[in-house]
Amino acid sequence: MPYAIFGAGDIGCTVGVTLAACGESVTLIGRDSPTGKALRNAVTAGAVVLHTQSRWERRLSAAQCAGIFATDATQLANAEVIFVATKRLQNEAAAHAVGQHAQRGAIVVILQNGVGVADELRALLPAGRSDLQLVECVVSVNAVRDLSGSGARFLWVSPRDQSNPAFVLSGKGAKVAEAMNRAGLIAV
């Protein structure tokens, strides 16, 4: 399944880099920000997600990073699964971009904690986009961008085991949770 991460910040990049390192087709869609700059620089230095306690990691080479980052929301049209990893205050812009560019029937996994985020996002979608399958996700992972090195390094600093899943997806998210688990993201 091709994936797009809309909101390529620390959590979005942790998910996207991990999936891409396991061979999945991933596009990280972000804005021109410090994280975006780190991802563009990763073309020369690579990218890594590292769990700080267990030393578990997923790496992308510089060549694998080439072309993975975009700022153009039209890239959403290529994805069967879209992760919305923006801050909740950006839901209006996220709903507009997803509603305008997502392919019909796309699964939209909302990587935001809070009650009613799927209802909120659905209400913000343009008319006629009831075909999108919105999946709420409780995110209990804490990931931060490591500013000490070059390229894109994301440190996973919270627990990493099945007894404390990092991502809990609702209803229609089982297929996506399986792919996340194959990559090592600890999802249910």
Side-chain angles (χ1 to χ4, degrees):
M1 286 185 295
Y3 296 89
I5 315 293
F6 188 80
D10 297 342
I11 296 296
C13 286
T14 295
V15 171
V17 168
T18 300
L19 288 169
C22 291
E24 299 290 349
S25 173
V26 176
T27 302
L28 294 158
I29 302 167
R31 52 193 165 89
D32 193 16
S33 66
T35 301
K37 183 177 181 184
L39 285 166
R40 283 192 303 280
N41 291 342
V43 173
T44 58
V48 64
V49 173
L50 172 68
H51 186 260
T52 57
Q53 296 168 2
S54 68
R55 306 312 286 174
W56 170 93
E57 68 178 45
R58 291 292 187 259
R59 291 188 171 275
L60 288 178
S61 68
Q64 290 171 308
C65 289
I68 197 172
F69 181 73
T71 56
D72 182 4
T74 63
Q75 298 293 313
L76 292 169
N78 301 323
E80 290 178 30
V81 176
I82 298 168
F83 289 93
V84 173
T86 58
K87 301 288 187 210
R88 197 164 182 177
L89 292 173
Q90 298 165 325
N91 276 354
E92 189 170 346
H96 176 75
V98 169
Q100 187 174 23
H101 301 293
Q103 60 182 256
R104 296 206 61 75
I107 298 169
V108 179
V109 179
I110 307 163
L111 297 178
Q112 298 174 359
N113 290 334
V115 177
V117 290
D119 293 336
E120 178 182 314
L121 203 59
R122 180 160 309 285
L124 293 168
L125 286 169
R129 289 315 314 252
S130 61
D131 61 295
L132 298 174
Q133 301 175 53
L134 272 58
V135 176
E136 287 183 300
C137 179
V138 175
V139 179
S140 62
V141 65
N142 187 17
V144 294
R145 185 170 45 90
D146 178 6
L147 301 172
S148 65
S150 63
R153 284 178 46 94
F154 299 93
L155 304 178
W156 183 333
V157 296
S158 51
R160 212 194 143 271
D161 59 51
Q162 288 294 341
S163 68
N164 185 17
F167 302 93
V168 179
L169 285 74
S170 67
K172 298 176 184 174
K175 185 167 110 175
V176 177
E178 288 175 22
M180 293 173 79
N181 271 326
R182 284 192 302 275
L185 287 167
I186 316 292
V188 294

